[in-house]
Amino acid sequence: MIAHFKDLCLDAADAHRLGAFWAGILDGKLVDTGDGDTRVDPRAASSEAESIWVNTVPEPRTVKTRVHLDLRMADPDPAALLAAGARLVREPTAETDWWVLADPDGNEFCAFPSEQ
């Protein structure tokens, strides 16, 4: 092994706002790192999930996000994600069975329906 995955980092105009969004929808714990950034930690001690770091940057996102999160929703549709502050980008089509949403900072992510 050359390396192993440590964390996912997201850049944001407002790290506290974006961190709160991700902590809320993933049932994570929002941690203020004290330097303007935040971290979303998994709540379950037995979880194998790593942290999501949300770092404040001065420049806005200008192009499509090249790395994104894929989420498996608890419900069959993204209503709860939309109520939490996500924005609908694309609905499922005949070829795809997932929604594309954007977080409050405009970062796109895919939301797959709950497993039936």
Side-chain angles (χ1 to χ4, degrees):
M1 175 174 58
I2 296 172
H4 70 272
F5 178 76
K6 180 185 174 303
D7 296 304
L8 174 70
C9 298
L10 300 174
D11 290 343
D14 183 339
H16 287 86
R17 178 175 160 242
L18 192 61
F21 169 80
W22 285 106
I25 67 171
L26 296 174
D27 190 31
K29 177 183 175 191
L30 182 63
V31 177
D32 184 336
T33 61
D35 58 1
D37 296 340
T38 59
R39 188 178 72 238
V40 178
D41 289 340
R43 284 190 193 273
S46 63
S47 172
E48 293 184 22
E50 301 294 338
S51 298
I52 298 174
W53 290 81
V54 186
N55 305 308
T56 302
V57 296
E59 69 279 354
R61 186 180 64 81
T62 58
V63 297
K64 181 181 184 232
T65 307
R66 302 279 299 189
V67 175
H68 66 271
L69 280 74
D70 282 353
L71 305 180
R72 175 76 62 194
M73 297 180 292
D75 298 316
D77 65 61
L81 293 169
L82 296 170
R87 178 179 51 83
L88 178 64
V89 174
R90 185 190 55 73
E91 293 187 6
T93 66
E95 293 82 32
T96 61
D97 65 346
W98 65 88
W99 287 262
V100 177
L101 304 173
D103 69 19
D105 218 57
N107 301 303
E108 293 183 4
F109 62 96
C110 296
F112 291 79
S114 57
E115 295 180 310
Q116 306 292 334

